[in-house]
Amino acid sequence: MLPTTITTTAKKKPMLLINDAQRHRYLVRIHIVEGIAFWIRFIIICTDLSAASGNIVNNAHDSLRYLVVILLFELFTSFILFIADSLYVILRYLGRVFYESDSDDLCNERKYLWPLATLTCLKQIDCYYDHPHLILLTRVCILIGFWLLRFIAFCLACACGNQYSPRGIAYAVISSFSLVISVFTIITEYLHYKRLWTYHPQNNYDATYNKAHLCFLPYSLINDQRITEWGTSTCKRGKKCESKSLFHLLVYHSGEDQFKPKHDEQNPTVFGFHQTKTNLAYIISQDARGFIPSLKGMLGAGVYFATSINHTETKAHNFGAYICVKVSLGRVYRTNKREMPSSTEKYDTVYYEHESGNDEFCILNSEQIQSWIITVNEDFDVNSNDRDMFNETLYTPCF
Ligand SMILES: [Zn+2]
């Protein structure tokens, strides 16, 4: 069954701290403050522990139970965050000193260190391959989890201070201020995540978008812009990958990769690729009708798609924006010639199987398109003065 009529979504407004450089500076400073606050709390709790363990009079020894648990919570949360933040600073600001060479060994080493530095190690779990947009959201959730554990430590310190004053009191006071600072950190981290997935290259944040439009993915995040060896895919599933996620396709698969429909599959869903001018892509993204089918063409009237990103380079008449769609083919008319089906044929899609393997297809109705993601090569953007100046270097280490 084909999708229902396409409608438009609600209006979107620019977010807070949208300036990448400003937000990044803010994040670095707030994490430095968090690091300093951690060491102050750590020294206080160690001092309390030392005093409690050396004094067994008046049941002061019992306060050890509280203090040890608080110390463990701190080591599991703030200390891990401090190590990750320190590693991030080393890799980001001193990385050029350590990694002057681009040899594979050094690149691989850096590849393993960045997930530790950005707390994105969980991206190795299979589900994140299909949903790469959840990687940074998980980082935010980890920070919220850390905050909750520290809040429990704060409550324990209050209880300890109540029973065994002055043990735990100084820690509780400093911790209360630190928890407030951490709330700002979490809010800023959430904005950092949101910024990536609500990015609009034409800087038009008041526009309404077609329901099928998922997002604009920054060009620097697609697979081919992040790899050093051309044509390689970063998807660990390799050629056997059967992911149906557009996010996965763009972030982890080479522009050469194709996902062709199986011959015996009924109403197959495939990925299609269309390249056009950046301005036309913006119009399509905001038009409630989406793609307007052409009145004529090699395979007849309809909307044309290539089966790989790279193949659009030889098929397109206009360049700059890649529209990657997920589309239901419906009834497929297969051919290995440049021909239009006869008028008696019942079909929704003409699928042209090239001898070279670079297949293409033409769908009759744009409502067959389920969703799309647009990625814009900034070098072709004619409206470069109005462009949203997105800083991709803040995000590429996370993928
Ligand atoms: Zn894959």
Side-chain angles (χ1 to χ4, degrees):
M1 190 176 154
L2 299 179
T4 52
T5 308
I6 291 168
T7 55
T8 51
T9 53
K11 279 196 169 189
K12 292 176 181 171
K13 299 288 182 187
M15 52 168 261
L16 288 170
L17 288 174
I18 196 166
N19 184 302
D20 293 318
Q22 183 192 21
R23 188 178 64 257
H24 185 251
R25 275 197 303 274
Y26 188 61
L27 268 175
V28 169
R29 286 171 190 165
I30 210 164
H31 275 283
I32 288 172
V33 172
E34 288 236 38
I36 294 170
F38 159 68
W39 283 109
I40 293 172
R41 294 196 307 275
F42 183 75
I43 290 168
I44 289 173
I45 204 74
C46 286
T47 307
D48 276 355
L49 264 171
S50 174
S53 59
N55 180 9
I56 56 171
V57 182
N58 297 329
N59 291 332
H61 207 67
D62 292 346
S63 63
L64 272 175
R65 287 176 300 177
Y66 285 96
L67 298 173
V68 168
V69 174
I70 292 169
L71 181 64
L72 289 176
F73 275 30
E74 283 286 356
L75 290 176
F76 185 71
T77 57
S78 301
F79 183 63
I80 290 177
L81 186 60
F82 175 78
I83 295 294
D85 289 345
S86 304
L87 190 56
Y88 178 86
V89 170
I90 291 169
L91 288 174
R92 181 163 184 85
Y93 298 105
L94 304 177
R96 290 191 199 93
V97 178
F98 295 120
Y99 300 109
E100 285 180 357
S101 162
D102 277 338
S103 74
D104 287 341
D105 285 347
L106 289 178
C107 283
N108 280 335
E109 189 181 330
R110 190 157 36 171
K111 192 172 78 178
Y112 292 116
L113 289 176
W114 271 122
L116 295 173
T118 54
L119 292 179
T120 54
C121 301
L122 291 175
K123 68 183 178 184
Q124 300 298 333
I125 298 173
D126 204 55
C127 69
Y128 287 95
Y129 274 83
D130 284 337
H131 307 286
H133 52 297
L134 295 181
I135 292 173
L136 276 178
L137 190 60
T138 303
R139 173 183 161 90
V140 177
C141 291
I142 289 171
L143 293 177
I144 292 172
F146 282 179
W147 189 92
L148 289 173
L149 288 176
R150 279 181 44 213
F151 182 73
I152 294 171
F154 165 73
C155 294
L156 287 173
C158 291
C160 179
N162 197 31
Q163 288 187 46
Y164 308 107
S165 178
R167 309 278 174 257
I169 288 181
Y171 172 87
V173 172
I174 297 294
S175 186
S176 62
F177 287 110
S178 306
L179 285 168
V180 174
I181 294 169
S182 298
V183 170
F184 287 106
T185 308
I186 290 168
I187 292 171
T188 312
E189 291 277 358
Y190 175 75
L191 292 174
H192 190 62
Y193 147 78
K194 189 180 170 190
R195 160 70 168 148
L196 174 59
W197 299 106
T198 56
Y199 152 74
H200 298 294
Q202 81 279 37
N203 217 357
N204 183 3
Y205 283 83
D206 288 330
T208 54
Y209 289 89
N210 188 296
K211 188 182 176 185
H213 175 79
L214 296 181
C215 70
F216 289 100
L217 185 70
Y219 188 63
S220 50
L221 285 192
I222 68 171
N223 181 84
D224 287 3
Q225 297 301 309
R226 294 184 294 114
I227 53 171
T228 50
E229 192 177 342
W230 192 81
T232 54
S233 166
T234 49
C235 174
K236 65 178 181 181
R237 300 166 185 154
K239 295 287 181 190
K240 292 177 183 171
C241 180
E242 293 187 346
S243 175
K244 294 295 181 191
S245 162
L246 272 169
F247 293 101
H248 172 82
L249 171 82
L250 288 167
V251 175
Y252 296 113
H253 280 275
S254 158
E256 288 281 286
D257 288 356
Q258 293 179 303
F259 297 85
K260 297 178 182 179
K262 292 170 183 155
H263 278 261
D264 55 351
E265 199 174 352
Q266 296 293 316
N267 187 20
T269 298
V270 298
F271 297 120
F273 305 89
H274 186 94
Q275 188 173 182
T276 186
K277 285 181 193 170
T278 53
N279 279 0
L280 286 177
Y282 299 148
I283 290 170
I284 289 170
S285 70
Q286 294 172 30
D287 192 323
R289 296 165 298 171
F291 286 84
I292 308 295
S294 66
L295 297 176
K296 58 182 181 180
M298 180 181 78
L299 305 173
V303 187
Y304 283 72
F305 295 100
T307 49
S308 74
I309 291 183
N310 289 358
H311 190 212
T312 64
E313 305 293 352
T314 55
K315 286 292 167 191
H317 303 295
N318 298 301
F319 302 92
Y322 303 89
I323 308 178
C324 308
V325 304
K326 189 173 172 182
V327 55
S328 304
L329 297 188
R331 294 164 298 182
V332 182
Y333 175 83
R334 285 180 181 268
T335 178
N336 54 12
K337 295 183 221 152
R338 293 167 183 256
E339 62 170 7
M340 291 169 56
S342 69
S343 57
T344 57
E345 288 285 347
K346 300 288 184 193
Y347 64 93
D348 299 304
T349 302
V350 183
Y351 190 89
Y352 177 27
E353 295 173 304
H354 273 259
E355 282 182 9
S356 63
N358 292 326
D359 298 353
E360 57 189 293
F361 58 88
C362 169
I363 59 171
L364 287 184
N365 193 330
S366 59
E367 289 185 4
Q368 289 172 245
I369 298 168
Q370 297 176 8
S371 55
W372 70 66
I373 293 177
I374 299 176
T375 182
V376 174
N377 183 347
E378 291 86 353
D379 295 341
F380 287 84
D381 200 338
V382 290
N383 295 326
S384 55
N385 292 334
D386 300 327
R387 196 192 325 139
D388 184 351
M389 303 307 284
F390 181 80
N391 187 345
E392 72 280 1
T393 60
L394 303 181
Y395 291 97
T396 42
C398 300
F399 291 92

